[in-house]
Amino acid sequence: GFFRTKHDGDRWWLVDPDGHPFFSVGPDCIEPHCNGPVENLETLFAWLPPRTGEFADAWSTAGSRGDFVSFSVVNLIRAFGNRWHDAWYELTEARLRHWGFNTIANWSEPHLGRRFSMPYVTGMGSFPTTQHRIFRDLPDVFSPEYASSAAKCAESLQETVDDPYLIGYFLTNEPNWAFGDYNLGEMVLNCPHPLETRERLVQFLSARYDGDIGRLAARWEFSARSWDQLREPNLDTEGLNEHAKQDLADFSPVIIEEYVRVPAQAAKRVDTNHLCLGLRWAWIASDAFFAGSRYCDVFSINCYQMKPDATEIAKTSQAAGLPVMIGEFHAGALDVGLPANALRGVENQAARGDFYRYYVESAAAIPELVGAHYFQYGDQPVLGRFDGECLNIGLVDVCHKPYHEMTDVVMKTHHTLYDVCSGRVPPVKVQPREMPREGFG
């Protein structure tokens, strides 16, 4: 058997291969490397490991981003020598089980779930794209190129098709085009490139106005004599009236449904055994984001709040017609030397434990939620990762030492998790004091 979803009349559940209800909790980015860029930053370091010899495994190169070094790997090598990776596996598996996690979440080292015989989630290797895009990373979704790209991206799922420990796969994470409520139809007309989606928009508008361009022109107060004028790239939409903007906005869910449908169906053609866990939206900027939900098994969002809002989660689940999974949440503090706390800051490591309990128990009490994954297993580099983030958000530090003030509470949280899920025990009510965000965004 494989994981599936089920609504038992009271709440949504994931159901494990043995038929047991399952609420998914686990950290992501479980990997020994904590890479930070070095190129042009050499003078900021008091010491860098030699690039060859004993510490060679601590170095990596990320294309045009240059050289990276991982001091977390340096510290493993210092402690365990050339068997550092096997030692990390043993240490990490023991900790995850002792702390009561039941899931290896996204971004983690490949094959870790299979190696540890633990449930895990993964992501499709890459997300389909096209040469010409509508806006930011939004592809020309009606192009045959998009379908072809989706088929290639879905091939990455072949190697886990028969793995019973795999819960499911995310299609992507926080699409860049979806950080606001944008009029995507208007952006199709604005686009300077030829697009198949523009042709589909013209068909959409033609159907709405019974093929009469004169009716559209009158309604829009727009000097169009033929539908071909709307097919022209880089159309100036600055002076369009509200009727025109509404017609174009009504095309947004058509675009989004195709954006989801094509990769989701490509993935299902490769893997019918596992759950499609959605797109990990950063937030729901528009109800149009629910278009295409029927092609997924779970609706996923990242929720960086002090706790998930039960009313909003219920609305999300109802609109999507699916259970909801939280792909990321976290809190950090400034008491251990890192220069930034997190998207949510608290006072210290003990408060981070209190935050984790408050957040996870609040999540477990929401009937529409089937899981919440913590970002992330280890702290980020003090001088920043590839994008500069240097947050105290780990369960362990750069020396792989646990923050016991946090992990002790994490363990207690997991021991009563299913009592909270079932309603036998209420979630904790005391919210830890939130501190201002420092050193980040």
Side-chain angles (χ1 to χ4, degrees), residues 43 48 64 91 94 116 158 183 188 190 211 236 250 254 257 259 272 275 294 303 314 329 345 351 354 374 427 432 441:
T43 58
L48 285 169
S64 60
L91 187 66
F116 291 174
Q158 288 178 344
N183 189 326
V188 169
N190 286 156
D236 183 8
D250 289 345
V254 179
E257 178 161 357
Y259 175 78
T272 59
L275 299 172
R294 62 195 174 106
C303 181
F329 72 97
D354 294 339
Y374 183 79

Side-chain angles (χ1 to χ4, degrees), residues 88-379:
W88 177 83
Y89 284 133
E90 295 162 10
L91 187 66
T92 303
E93 181 181 4
R95 285 171 168 173
L96 291 174
R97 295 190 186 282
H98 180 64
W99 293 336
F101 288 111
N102 63 19
T103 302
I104 292 171
N106 210 34
W107 319 116
S108 296
E109 183 168 300
H111 313 302
L112 205 58
R114 195 177 303 170
R115 184 182 183 107
F116 291 174
S117 298
M118 286 184 68
Y120 69 101
V121 297
T122 190
M124 196 164 65
S126 57
F127 194 79
T129 189
T130 54
Q131 179 183 2
H132 299 308
R133 289 179 289 278
I134 296 169
F135 169 62
R136 293 182 181 168
D137 58 348
L138 179 59
D140 184 4
V141 296
F142 286 98
S143 166
E145 182 187 2
Y146 185 58
S148 175
S149 178
K152 291 179 181 177
C153 292
E155 290 174 2
S156 67
L157 301 174
Q158 288 178 344
E159 62 177 305
T160 55
V161 150
D162 296 318
D163 191 346
Y165 290 106
L166 177 61
I167 297 170
Y169 50 86
F170 298 106
L171 295 176
T172 190
N173 179 69
E174 296 188 351
N176 286 335
W177 62 264
F179 278 73
D181 183 9
Y182 300 109
N183 189 326
L184 300 181
E186 189 172 350
M187 289 183 172
V188 169
L189 292 186
N190 286 156
C191 186
H193 306 294
L195 297 172
E196 294 291 337
T197 303
R198 184 182 287 110
E199 180 59 35
R200 189 60 61 98
L201 171 59
V202 172
Q203 294 172 15
F204 172 85
L205 294 171
S206 179
R208 175 163 287 193
Y209 287 94
D210 298 322
D212 187 343
I213 188 63
R215 282 184 56 204
L216 178 142
R219 178 76 168 168
W220 286 20
E221 299 175 345
F222 179 66
S223 59
R225 295 186 179 85
S226 75
W227 293 106
D228 285 341
Q229 284 179 253
L230 297 182
R231 294 184 171 96
E232 297 283 332
N234 212 17
L235 188 70
D236 183 8
T237 60
E238 180 112 6
L240 293 181
N241 65 20
E242 290 306 309
H243 298 300
K245 290 183 183 296
Q246 185 59 59
D247 283 343
L248 294 170
D250 289 345
F251 191 63
S252 288
V254 179
I255 293 175
I256 294 172
E257 178 161 357
E258 193 72 355
Y259 175 78
V260 178
R261 181 192 71 81
V262 171
Q265 289 191 334
K268 285 295 184 184
R269 284 193 291 270
V270 172
D271 183 355
T272 59
N273 291 330
H274 298 109
L275 299 172
C276 176
L277 301 176
L279 293 94
R280 298 165 61 101
W281 302 100
W283 57 77
I284 307 303
S286 165
D287 285 346
F289 287 13
F290 297 116
S293 296
R294 62 195 174 106
Y295 299 105
C296 302
D297 301 298
V298 174
F299 190 90
S300 55
I301 55 175
N302 296 339
C303 181
Y304 285 103
Q305 304 296 330
M306 291 301 287
K307 71 168 185 174
D309 186 306
T311 300
E312 289 304 313
I313 295 294
K315 288 179 181 178
T316 296
S317 178
Q318 183 175 12
L322 297 171
V324 178
M325 177 178 283
I326 291 173
E328 294 177 14
F329 72 97
H330 71 208
L334 297 172
D335 61 328
V336 292
L338 283 164
N341 45 27
L343 284 167
R344 294 293 165 185
V346 292
E347 189 171 2
N348 51 36
Q349 301 308 300
R352 290 181 64 218
D354 294 339
F355 162 82
Y356 184 89
R357 183 180 181 190
Y358 180 69
Y359 191 104
V360 170
E361 289 193 3
S362 297
I366 298 174
E368 294 81 10
L369 272 176
V370 295
H373 298 163
Y374 183 79
F375 184 81
Q376 58 183 47
Y377 180 74
D379 278 342

